[in-house]
Amino acid sequence: MSKISKFFKVGSTSKNQGPTPQEAIHKLRETEEMLTKKQEYLENRIQQELVTAKKHGTKNKRAALQALKRKKRFEQQLSQIDGTISTIEFQREALENANTNTEVLKNMGYAAKAIKGAHENMDLDKIDSLMQDITEQQDVAQEISDAISRPVGFGEQYDEDELLAELEELEQEELDQNMVSMGGLPSVPSASLPSRPVSKKKVDVNDDLDMEQLAAWAT
């Protein structure tokens, strides 16, 4: 048997036979307060006896020694109270932790009962069927969304090259209309253009031929 099981077994058998954890914690706190006040009293008495011993000193050794003895007794009592308070603090903390754990387990038990009650009216087969219906309806909704968002051509097919050619014709017509509205194309000049000058290189070649003929006649 685990320690937790033993704890709850003992608690069930000893029900209404002892103080509740809250009452025990309250009593321990009262005891701590009482011992703390006793500590303060003993600390003051130790200081008083120390002052008395210093006051008498070597003048009245007997009174000084009695004061130091009382000081030692008070110090022993103070040390015992310190140990007692530590024990009480440990016991109080253990009770507080046990009380907290009891409340936590009690609340967890309530929550478990509430969850069980909420699940009593649930049928797993119905839940599975419901989830399948939800999944099917989601699939149908997705198919409908896809069908609505898909572009519809109504069976007509167009040649993209023909459409581009038609667009170019429309652009050319618009350009021609714009030119006409601006006064038409500029007229071609009627006067003849000046002839192209003879290149210097050609003239030089003719001069060379004349010189050759003149030389042949002279001979």
Side-chain angles (χ1 to χ4, degrees):
M1 184 181 295
S2 64
K3 293 182 179 180
I4 296 177
S5 300
K6 291 180 180 179
F7 173 77
F8 284 103
K9 184 177 180 180
V10 172
S12 61
T13 56
S14 60
K15 188 176 181 181
N16 298 327
Q17 294 181 1
T20 62
Q22 292 84 353
E23 292 174 349
I25 291 170
H26 180 69
K27 291 293 184 182
L28 288 174
R29 286 177 177 171
E30 289 180 349
T31 305
E32 282 185 72
E33 293 177 358
M34 179 189 66
L35 292 176
T36 300
K37 293 179 180 179
K38 187 66 178 294
Q39 275 183 324
E40 295 176 354
Y41 169 77
L42 291 174
E43 288 174 352
N44 292 331
R45 289 300 306 270
I46 289 171
Q47 292 297 326
Q48 292 176 3
E49 297 300 336
L50 183 61
V51 171
T52 301
K54 290 180 179 180
K55 179 180 178 181
H56 292 290
T58 56
K59 297 178 182 179
N60 189 347
K61 292 184 178 181
R62 183 175 180 180
L65 290 175
Q66 290 296 329
L68 291 176
K69 288 180 181 179
R70 289 192 296 270
K71 173 178 169 294
K72 290 294 183 182
R73 289 199 304 269
F74 293 147
E75 287 176 347
Q76 290 177 355
Q77 293 179 23
L78 183 61
S79 178
Q80 291 175 352
I81 290 175
D82 289 339
T84 303
I85 290 177
S86 297
T87 302
I88 290 175
E89 287 178 350
F90 175 80
Q91 192 174 15
R92 176 175 55 79
E93 291 174 358
L95 271 173
E96 289 175 348
N97 292 333
N99 186 43
T100 301
N101 293 333
T102 301
E103 292 296 326
V104 170
L105 291 174
K106 184 188 297 182
N107 294 332
M108 291 175 65
Y110 289 152
K113 290 180 180 179
I115 294 173
K116 184 178 180 180
H119 290 166
E120 283 181 353
N121 297 325
M122 292 185 180
D123 188 352
L124 293 179
D125 295 334
K126 292 182 179 180
I127 294 173
D128 291 337
S129 177
L130 176 62
M131 295 306 298
Q132 290 178 1
D133 292 340
I134 293 174
T135 302
E136 291 177 358
Q137 293 303 319
Q138 288 178 344
D139 294 338
V140 172
Q142 185 63 39
E143 291 179 0
I144 294 173
S145 299
D146 294 340
I148 293 174
S149 61
R150 188 181 303 116
V152 179
F154 298 103
E156 297 181 359
Q157 299 294 331
Y158 299 102
D159 188 355
E160 187 174 355
D161 293 336
E162 292 181 359
L163 294 176
L164 291 174
E166 184 178 353
L167 179 60
E168 290 179 358
E169 291 178 359
L170 294 175
E171 291 177 349
Q172 185 63 40
E173 289 179 1
E174 184 178 0
L175 181 60
D176 294 341
Q177 292 177 359
N178 292 333
M179 293 298 295
V180 171
S181 62
M182 293 175 61
L185 295 173
S187 60
V188 179
S190 58
S192 61
L193 296 175
S195 61
R196 184 178 180 183
V198 179
S199 64
K200 184 179 180 182
K201 184 177 180 181
K202 186 175 181 180
V203 173
D204 293 340
V205 172
N206 294 330
D207 292 342
D208 292 339
L209 292 175
D210 293 340
M211 290 299 294
E212 291 179 358
Q213 293 175 0
L214 181 61
W217 178 77
T219 58

